[in-house]
Amino acid sequence: MKLSQRAQSVEPFHAMAFGERAGTLEAAGHRVIRLGLGEPDFGAPPAVREAMREAMDGRPLPYTPAFGLPALRAAIAGFYRDRHGVTVDPARIAVTPGASGALLLAAAATTDPGDEVILADPSYPCNRRLVETFGGRVVTVATTPGSRYQLDTAAVDSAWTGRTSAVMVASPANPTGTSIPFGELVEVCHRAAARGAWRIVDEIYLDLADPSPDGTPPRTILTADPDAIVINSFSKYFGMTGWRLGWCVLPPALVPAVERLAMNYFLCASTPAQIAALSCFTPESLAVCESRRQELAARRAIALAGLAEIGLPVPVPPDGAFYIYFDVSATGLTAWDFCRRALDEAHVAVTPGRDFGAATADTHVRLSYTASRADLQEGLHRLGEFLRTLARP
């Protein structure tokens, strides 16, 4: 018997490994400040939790249609209409087991062996693995602070070949928390479309992005490119990480094929989670989520000020999501050693750049500011003390 080459070659998700090490330290009696994983500490809105309790009253919970409950798909379409001013036919919406399920379907539907998919470096590691699973070749483009660590038209043009089948972008992005200027994103998508390539746009953090100065909410790419494949999730804005529920918006031409893939890959998303998620879209739940977005912005300000005070530079301040990507090269440590020692010596968990690509693997570290204000302040204080120990002869 043998393992597949895929199973043997896949890299672990190091953020999770550091989380496991943090758990070991906590079991040994240490108080670890967890600033590593992208997991809001709020949980789901109260009405969603109550709806889940009601759904679990012993009633039958059969499979839903492969694309999810019709009422939930309609509610998501209403969210696009009311929040983003764009009309989306519910028939184009697939409810999935987390955004990971949506990304899996997008990759499966658009990638054949030998196809090339352009992504930014740094970027979320699982996206690369999904493309590779279906025989695609990931073409990563090293980005810079000048492009906000995002793809731009020049970067996409430089990476384009006759085998390019898709461009995958995230705005705001993990690990940097930065967004692509909307006009630049539109141009990237229009150029890809003109060349016959798919546009896969990860908007998981879109509703946690800062509004424009006039108060206009961040814009979905669907307002400019209605045939883009858009990925979203209940995990981030709605705080439902462990519920494993996401969605994708598909161009009409992809709907039949993706529905067949969904039937074969996972039948449907969790029925009780879907029932509960209907309560995300009430005025009360949306108000809760908006207050939490504002709280995350306040935590971001604390984290940015704290990093500046202890001398850890942030090349590009984030404008969304809940991550800060900072540079540790001046410490004399690689990012991996910085994170390992910060966890073991200061009991602060952060994530090394190795997860996110080669360009910043050794120089940058991701901090997630989803912890409480008190924990953020304590974690930054501990990092400052850790840095002082490094400076001692």
Side-chain angles (χ1 to χ4, degrees):
M1 293 184 291
K2 68 178 183 67
L3 284 173
S4 70
Q5 187 60 42
R6 182 183 308 110
Q8 294 179 62
S9 63
V10 69
E11 283 282 319
F13 193 2
H14 297 296
M16 303 301 288
F18 274 83
E20 290 173 7
R21 172 62 179 157
T24 300
L25 289 168
E26 287 171 334
H30 300 287
R31 181 168 181 264
V32 176
I33 304 297
R34 291 178 175 260
L35 306 178
L37 295 182
E39 188 162 33
D41 65 341
F42 309 119
V48 178
R49 299 197 301 268
E50 181 57 33
M52 175 60 93
R53 282 190 286 269
E54 291 180 7
M56 300 299 288
D57 62 1
R59 74 184 74 176
L61 292 167
Y63 300 123
T64 72
F67 270 14
L69 290 170
L72 183 56
R73 297 163 72 193
I76 294 168
F79 184 66
Y80 279 105
R81 179 194 63 233
D82 298 340
R83 188 172 182 87
H84 295 289
V86 62
T87 299
V88 178
D89 184 348
R92 296 174 52 200
I93 296 171
V95 179
T96 57
S100 297
L103 287 160
L104 172 72
L105 290 174
T110 62
T111 307
D112 278 327
D115 287 346
E116 294 181 353
V117 179
I118 299 173
L119 291 91
D121 179 355
S123 59
Y124 183 60
C126 298
N127 295 353
R128 302 193 292 274
R129 306 295 171 253
L130 289 170
V131 170
E132 292 164 352
T133 293
F134 296 103
R137 177 174 176 263
V138 175
V139 178
T140 55
V141 181
T143 59
T144 68
S147 67
R148 300 180 54 77
Y149 294 121
Q150 290 278 9
L151 292 176
D152 56 20
T153 52
V156 171
D157 286 345
S158 71
W160 201 277
T161 75
R163 295 180 297 277
T164 301
S165 64
V167 178
M168 186 180 292
V169 298
S171 185
N174 179 5
T176 62
T178 61
S179 301
I180 308 176
F182 190 71
E184 190 72 23
L185 175 59
V186 171
E187 182 61 23
V188 166
C189 288
H190 284 177
R191 290 194 188 195
R195 294 164 171 167
W198 301 102
R199 291 80 61 209
I200 302 172
V201 183
D202 176 345
E203 294 184 348
I204 291 168
Y205 300 99
L206 179 68
D207 292 297
L208 291 174
D210 295 344
S212 63
D214 66 1
T216 303
R219 287 177 284 179
T220 170
I221 190 58
L222 293 169
T223 61
D225 185 359
D227 285 332
I229 301 168
V230 170
I231 309 297
N232 214 315
S233 175
F234 288 90
S235 291
K236 310 303 182 180
Y237 182 67
F238 295 106
M240 297 168 63
T241 50
W243 300 60
R244 306 315 303 131
L245 201 63
W247 74 83
C248 56
V249 181
L250 301 161
L254 270 185
V255 167
V258 173
E259 188 168 23
R260 293 194 301 272
L261 289 167
M263 291 173 183
N264 280 276
Y265 284 158
F266 37 71
L267 294 182
C268 67
S270 161
T271 299
Q274 291 189 61
I275 293 169
L278 287 165
S279 296
C280 286
F281 302 105
T282 66
E284 295 77 12
S285 290
L286 292 171
V288 167
C289 293
E290 274 301 290
S291 69
R292 292 172 172 181
R293 183 185 64 79
Q294 294 166 12
E295 170 61 17
L296 286 169
R299 295 180 186 184
R300 179 177 62 199
I302 291 170
L304 286 170
L307 289 168
E309 183 177 345
I310 63 178
L312 290 171
V314 179
V316 186
D319 63 344
F322 32 62
Y323 305 112
I324 298 173
Y325 209 47
F326 62 92
D327 189 340
V328 299
S329 54
T331 67
L333 298 175
T334 66
W336 183 270
D337 286 338
F338 179 95
C339 293
R340 178 182 56 80
R341 290 186 58 180
L343 182 54
D344 287 343
E345 298 173 30
H347 300 147
V348 178
V350 286
T351 302
R354 186 182 298 183
D355 267 337
F356 308 110
T360 54
D362 290 332
T363 57
H364 284 61
V365 167
R366 189 192 73 180
L367 178 149
S368 174
Y369 52 86
T370 53
S372 69
R373 297 189 192 195
D375 276 0
L376 270 175
Q377 290 164 337
E378 173 65 17
L380 290 161
H381 171 74
R382 292 186 189 185
L383 288 177
E385 290 294 314
F386 169 62
L387 292 174
R388 280 187 276 278
T389 67
L390 295 179
R392 291 172 192 153

